[in-house]
């Protein structure tokens, strides 16, 4: 699997389009698509890995362990993902705090073995 294919597959698993990954990583227009034929700069690859919540080694195919980057942030915008389920990110009628969202995300990772 190529670098581009691994990014594309991981983005899909995270519920993100390639365009969204590109924007969240603050890259130029269609930058990731250029990686089909060009080698990305290390800092740009690291930005994409951070957005996807995986290591650079995973994206490069050096490991099959997706282990999330050590910055302890959600790899995706949980609000964006949860908004697909309903109009507000809430529980019991109250909107979740960022800390609660992070805990929710960590529980989901444990439940689904990621």
């Amino acid at each position: 699997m190529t670098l581009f294919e691994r990014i594309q597959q991981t983005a899909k698993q995270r519920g993100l389009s390639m365009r969204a990954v590109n924007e969240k990583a603050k890259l130029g227009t269609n930058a990731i698509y250029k990686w089909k034929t060009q080698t990305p700069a290390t800092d740009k690859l690291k930005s994409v890995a951070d957005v996807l919540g995986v290591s650079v080694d995973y994206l490069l195919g050096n490991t099959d362990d997706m282990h999330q980057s050590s910055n302890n942030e959600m790899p995706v915008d949980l609000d964006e993902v949860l908004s697909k389920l309903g109009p507000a990110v809430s529980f019991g009628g109250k909107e979740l705090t960022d800390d609660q969202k992070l805990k929710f995300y960590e529980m989901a990772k444990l439940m689904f073995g990621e």
Side-chain angles (χ1 to χ4, degrees):
M1 182 179 298
T2 67
L3 169 66
F4 177 81
E5 291 168 339
R6 195 162 271 225
I7 292 169
Q8 190 173 39
Q9 178 185 41
T10 306
K12 185 176 180 180
Q13 290 171 343
R14 303 287 195 249
L16 295 171
S17 67
M18 293 297 283
R19 181 178 178 189
V21 173
N22 202 70
E23 288 174 5
K24 288 176 183 281
K26 297 182 172 110
L27 303 177
T29 306
N30 295 322
I32 297 172
Y33 284 97
K34 295 175 186 172
W35 298 355
K36 289 180 179 182
T37 58
Q38 299 174 0
T39 304
T42 306
D43 61 326
K44 295 181 189 310
L45 184 56
K46 175 78 170 98
S47 294
V48 170
D50 288 344
V51 167
L52 296 174
V54 298
S55 69
V56 171
D57 276 340
Y58 175 77
L59 292 181
L60 292 173
N62 295 333
T63 181
D64 287 330
D65 181 10
M66 291 179 119
H67 59 277
Q68 186 173 331
S69 58
S70 62
N71 63 7
N72 198 32
E73 293 180 11
M74 292 175 279
V76 296
D77 183 352
L78 192 57
D79 286 329
E80 181 180 323
V81 173
L82 293 176
S83 70
K84 294 176 184 177
L85 301 175
V89 181
S90 63
F91 181 79
K94 296 181 182 178
E95 188 171 338
L96 298 176
T97 66
D98 287 342
D99 187 50
Q100 290 168 327
K101 292 173 192 173
L102 183 58
K103 288 177 183 173
F104 178 77
Y105 173 75
E106 291 298 324
M107 287 188 302
K109 280 190 352 184
L110 290 172
M111 289 172 43
F112 298 106
E114 190 176 312

